[in-house]
Amino acid sequence: MEKVPGEMEIERRERSEELSEAERKAVQATWARLYANCEDVGVAILVRFFVNFPSAKQYFSQFKHMEEPLEMERSPQLRKHACRVMGALNTVVENLHDPEKVSSVLALVGKAHALKHKVEPVYFKILSGVILEVIAEEFANDFPPETQRAWAKLRGLIYSHVTAAYKEVGWVQQVPNATTPLATQPSSGP
């Protein structure tokens, strides 16, 4: 796993915070409104992700060459992947009452991305941050601090489960290259 200064403390805190019943309900209510338009929202999330973090496109042969947001929005492959991402998130959000189901789903996602796709795990943290940005913009007038905190906890929970799956399969950080974000560069510490 990559080493980001200060990240280990954050991971410990994220791992220890479970969502309360009120937080689960807040996340699920927000998600239900977002998921009602899942394909377009998913595409908006992925386009922003790839525009702001173009190094993430290296893992997608079908659209890694695309530079223009409009071209990405129209890509059937990107739209299909957006639906898969939203579907996985929907399964997680719908099952927040069942920690074993959440863990199972995220373990499958983490293992597939580690073993098959060789995606650096930091991209899950980056993508989840983009998702939070889109939610905050979509619900600017109806995204109170307690709901924001609940989503931040869910973000930590997702990242914790995914990185646990990476560790379980013996993930070894890929050799950094010019297209890997700085956050994935190894630190000088242990």
Side-chain angles (χ1 to χ4, degrees):
M1 186 174 90
E2 75 285 352
K3 302 284 185 203
V4 177
E7 185 174 3
M8 293 309 290
E9 295 81 20
I10 292 168
E11 283 187 38
R12 267 195 294 282
R13 188 180 72 236
E14 287 173 345
R15 240 182 254 122
S16 67
E17 292 187 46
E18 294 297 323
L19 274 70
S20 68
E21 183 63 27
E23 290 168 331
R24 284 194 295 271
K25 286 180 179 178
V27 165
Q28 289 170 331
T30 310
W31 179 255
R33 292 184 298 168
L34 204 64
Y35 195 68
N37 192 12
C38 79
E39 184 175 349
D40 289 337
V41 171
V43 168
I45 288 166
L46 287 186
V47 168
R48 180 176 301 190
F49 178 57
F50 293 134
V51 166
N52 293 341
F53 303 94
S55 62
K57 291 189 296 180
Q58 69 184 305
Y59 301 106
F60 298 91
S61 60
Q62 314 95 316
F63 45 86
K64 69 179 176 184
H65 61 282
M66 295 180 188
E67 298 296 327
E68 295 300 317
L70 189 57
E71 182 183 13
M72 289 181 218
E73 287 174 20
R74 293 179 176 160
S75 165
Q77 296 91 350
L78 188 137
R79 294 189 84 76
K80 184 177 176 182
H81 191 68
C83 288
R84 279 195 304 268
V85 169
M86 295 295 283
L89 282 170
N90 189 57
T91 301
V92 168
V93 171
E94 283 184 345
N95 289 286
L96 285 174
H97 64 281
D98 184 351
E100 287 184 25
K101 176 73 173 180
V102 169
S103 182
S104 173
V105 168
L106 294 173
L108 289 172
V109 169
K111 289 174 183 176
H113 283 78
L115 298 173
K116 183 177 179 186
H117 308 298
K118 310 280 190 242
V119 175
E120 290 288 339
V122 71
Y123 284 107
F124 283 92
K125 187 169 268 190
I126 295 168
L127 179 60
S128 64
V130 172
I131 292 168
L132 290 183
E133 286 175 13
V134 170
I135 293 171
E137 289 170 12
E138 195 73 22
F139 301 111
N141 298 324
D142 191 20
F143 197 50
E146 59 273 10
T147 303
Q148 293 174 32
R149 283 190 297 273
W151 275 96
K153 279 187 180 181
L154 179 59
R155 177 186 186 203
L157 182 80
I158 290 170
Y159 188 69
S160 175
H161 281 287
V162 168
T163 55
Y166 271 70
K167 288 177 187 175
E168 186 179 322
V169 299
W171 173 260
V172 176
Q173 182 177 356
Q174 305 302 297
V175 177
N177 60 43
T179 60
T180 304
L182 187 57
T184 64
Q185 301 293 325
S187 70
S188 56

